[in-house]
């Protein structure tokens, strides 16, 4: 079974700072996807960024980037130039890369607060 | 395109009752997944339906069941409600046209069991 661990229950930074959220996972699969989802107070789950395990290049989406270390099973999210709208719960998630495998396995989440 | 819709948004029930939650996926999406979110257990996968068939199932008791209709709308049913069933229930739909299919989440149904 796959497990996802987020060791930082809460984090708080000032606006415009850079923040890194940590995530480790455990799996025996070789092909899989990793995700970071954002859940603001509205509770709507929003995909922030996705990484395919077979890709060595780290994914980036504007101010969001990841540091994917496959051997270490580590997948951290870096938010640059943080904004007040980044305040949310952030979940790291895992999904097997297999046709029909639509199950997401989530970490416990990190509550991120961006202070003005 | 309209997003994933869930009804009702809020629900209050008492122990022992049963409840049905509904999820309408994005038009054209054929896969619908359900997740339970609680403060203690976090986000847990319940089940996934594709073309009216349950394709994946999480580790929940038989009181939790679901179905999918020919128009891809899905319902989730919880019978004999327990206090611990109080949670945010999220559904997600995906198109299942490629190896990777992003899951788009609905706003959730907040269930409170008294």
């Amino acid at each position: 079974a796959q497990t996802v661990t987020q060791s930082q229950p809460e984090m708080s930074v000032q606006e415009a700072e850079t923040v890194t959220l940590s995530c480790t996972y455990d799996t025996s699969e070789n092909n899989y996807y990793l995700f970071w989802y954002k859940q603001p107070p509205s509770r709507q789950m929003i995909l922030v960024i996705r990484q395919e395990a077979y890709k060595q290049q780290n994914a980036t989406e504007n101010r969001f980037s990841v540091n994917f270390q496959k051997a270490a099973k580590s997948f951290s999210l870096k938010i640059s130039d943080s904004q007040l709208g980044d305040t949310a719960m952030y979940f790291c998630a895992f999904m097997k890369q297999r046709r029909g495998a639509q199950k997401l396995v989530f970490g416990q989440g990190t509550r991120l607060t961006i202070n003005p | 395109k309209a997003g994933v819709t869930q009804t009702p948004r809020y629900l209050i029930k008492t122990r022992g009752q049963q409840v049905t939650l509904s999820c309408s996926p994005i038009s054209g999406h054929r896969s619908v997944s359900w997740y339970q979110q609680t403060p203690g257990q976090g986000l847990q996968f319940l089940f996934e339906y594709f073309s009216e068939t349950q394709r994946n199932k999480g580790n929940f008791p038989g009181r939790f069941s679901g179905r999918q209709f020919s128009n891809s709308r899905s319902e989730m049913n919880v019978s004999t409600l327990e206090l611990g069933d109080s949670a945010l229930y999220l559904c997600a739909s995906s198109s299942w046209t490629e190896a990777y299919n992003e899951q788009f989440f609905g706003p959730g149904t907040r269930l409170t069991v008294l």
Side-chain angles (χ1 to χ4, degrees):
Chain A
Q2 290 73 38
T3 59
V4 178
T5 303
Q6 294 179 248
S7 58
Q8 305 151 311
E10 293 189 33
M11 295 189 73
S12 179
V13 298
Q14 296 299 120
E15 195 176 4
E17 288 184 344
T18 293
V19 60
T20 299
L21 309 183
S22 301
C23 172
T24 57
Y25 59 94
D26 189 29
T27 184
S28 58
E29 300 282 326
N30 193 46
N31 299 314
Y32 49 87
Y33 300 103
L34 294 166
F35 308 88
W36 279 98
Y37 280 89
K38 168 185 177 181
Q39 188 179 42
S42 68
R43 307 300 261 174
Q44 182 81 48
M45 196 75 81
I46 302 163
L47 178 63
V48 174
I49 199 164
R50 175 186 98 237
Q51 175 78 43
E52 290 91 338
Y54 66 86
K55 290 186 177 179
Q56 292 188 337
Q57 186 173 7
N58 290 322
T60 63
E61 286 287 342
N62 301 313
R63 298 182 296 107
F64 299 87
S65 62
V66 299
N67 183 2
F68 173 50
Q69 302 290 326
K70 190 172 184 180
K73 294 181 180 173
S74 169
F75 183 62
S76 62
L77 174 70
K78 185 171 84 171
I79 306 174
S80 304
D81 185 27
S82 58
Q83 301 175 359
L84 297 179
D86 295 332
T87 293
M89 281 289 289
Y90 286 81
F91 293 94
C92 179
F94 170 100
M95 185 167 73
K96 295 178 186 177
Q97 184 182 351
R98 196 183 296 174
R99 196 166 183 84
Q102 287 292 91
K103 173 185 174 182
L104 282 164
V105 178
F106 288 93
Q108 286 294 95
T110 296
R111 184 178 303 279
L112 175 64
T113 302
I114 310 298
N115 299 305
Chain B
K1 259 188 184 177
V4 178
T5 58
Q6 292 186 246
T7 56
R9 293 293 310 278
Y10 301 90
L11 206 48
I12 299 175
K13 292 286 187 179
T14 56
R15 279 181 298 174
Q17 287 187 311
Q18 74 166 21
V19 67
T20 300
L21 313 182
S22 180
C23 173
S24 292
I26 291 172
S27 178
H29 285 192
R30 297 169 62 192
S31 169
V32 174
S33 299
W34 289 89
Y35 295 84
Q36 181 197 63
Q37 185 175 17
T38 61
Q41 299 300 316
L43 279 150
Q44 293 184 289
F45 173 80
L46 279 154
F47 30 64
E48 183 237 351
Y49 286 86
F50 177 76
S51 291
E52 302 179 63
T53 301
Q54 186 181 87
R55 188 165 61 174
N56 293 286
K57 189 176 189 304
N59 296 323
F60 278 81
R63 299 185 298 106
F64 292 82
S65 63
R67 59 177 175 169
Q68 186 179 35
F69 302 94
S70 58
N71 62 357
S72 294
R73 188 177 71 86
S74 177
E75 287 183 347
M76 190 195 110
N77 185 76
V78 187
S79 62
T80 319
L81 283 166
E82 301 177 359
L83 295 179
D85 297 333
S86 293
L88 179 69
Y89 290 89
L90 295 167
C91 84
S93 75
S94 64
S95 62
W96 197 239
T97 55
E98 300 172 5
Y100 166 71
N101 296 273
E102 180 178 346
Q103 293 196 29
F104 294 85
F105 283 82
T109 293
R110 169 75 66 188
L111 171 64
T112 302
V113 182
L114 302 176

